[in-house]
Amino acid sequence: MKIYVFCRDILRAIFTLLYRFEAVGTENIPKEGGVLLCSNHKSLLDPISVGIKVKRQVKFMAKEELFKVPILGWLITQFGAFPVKRGGVSKESFKTSISILRGGEIMGIFPVGTRFSDTGAAKKGAAMFALRGNAAVVPAAIIGDYKIFRKMKIVYGQPIVLDDLKSGEVDGDPLELVTERIMDRIHEMEKTGRPSGN
């Protein structure tokens, strides 16, 4: 954890200098308990953007190939990353994710899976974790394009209420409905630049 905090603080300073990076709505992230942070995805730098302004450690899935790279593999392990195989979430990665959330930690995820344009479609993985993880689901929107000295920010919205979907009170595929609800909130914050509410 000490290594994580040290690296996070350095990256926070670098991002503040290079991108004038700021965070809005950090108070919407619960101070304790499991949290699923769901963000839009623009760059390989996004996991840093999602986590550096959060006081608690944020854990991410990472391609298993990265863990085989000397130094980088060790470093991302210190950051709490865990491997996922190409082609989707394996049973092992799913168990690890649920364990993180039910264990009261924070996990970051990009519902679209990969960096995308406005036409990109979200996958159902985030929805699956949201329904099975017993965690608060907090939407996040990264705003800006990682251009040096151009202002960037990340906006965290209020936790998304999913009680009606968990109880089966709504008709339709729960995974699709949860995915839609998450992405609607992310897109809303991308447009307004302000934290969303329920």
Side-chain angles (χ1 to χ4, degrees), residues 3-176:
I3 293 175
Y4 177 84
V5 172
F6 176 73
C7 292
R8 182 198 63 195
D9 290 349
I10 288 177
L11 289 168
R12 183 185 290 173
I14 291 172
F15 270 51
T16 300
L17 177 65
L18 291 184
Y19 306 120
R20 297 166 61 204
F21 194 77
E22 69 169 337
V24 179
T26 52
E27 69 278 4
N28 289 321
I29 301 172
K31 292 184 172 62
E32 56 185 29
V35 177
L36 184 67
L37 276 180
C38 300
S39 174
N40 58 333
H41 199 8
K42 307 176 134 206
S43 163
L44 292 171
L45 296 174
D46 291 344
I48 298 173
S49 296
V50 171
I52 57 172
K53 294 289 189 175
V54 180
K55 290 182 179 179
R56 299 169 62 190
Q57 182 175 13
V58 181
K59 298 185 175 182
F60 282 92
M61 293 181 184
K63 292 185 294 186
E64 64 176 354
E65 292 85 357
L66 297 177
F67 291 87
K68 298 173 184 176
V69 178
I71 300 178
L72 177 62
W74 176 83
L75 189 61
I76 61 176
T77 300
Q78 301 306 310
F79 265 75
F82 57 98
V84 61
K85 294 180 179 178
R86 283 182 181 276
V89 179
S90 67
K91 194 177 288 188
E92 177 113 2
S93 298
F94 181 79
K95 285 182 179 178
T96 301
S97 301
I98 295 301
S99 177
I100 287 170
L101 296 172
R102 290 184 177 175
E105 299 180 274
I106 300 182
M107 188 176 104
I109 191 169
F110 304 105
V112 293
T114 57
R115 299 181 304 283
F116 79 112
S117 67
D118 290 337
T119 58
K123 299 178 181 178
K124 296 180 181 178
M128 216 165 25
F129 298 137
L131 293 176
R132 297 281 297 276
N134 295 331
V137 180
V138 175
I142 300 167
I143 300 171
D145 296 310
Y146 295 101
K147 292 181 179 177
I148 292 179
F149 304 133
R150 296 280 185 87
K151 189 170 179 123
M152 286 190 69
K153 69 178 176 180
I154 182 164
V155 182
Y156 300 99
Q158 292 180 18
I160 299 172
V161 175
L162 299 174
D163 294 344
D164 55 332
L165 300 177
K166 289 179 181 178
S167 64
E169 295 174 16
V170 179
D171 293 331
D173 179 358
L175 294 179
E176 286 186 8

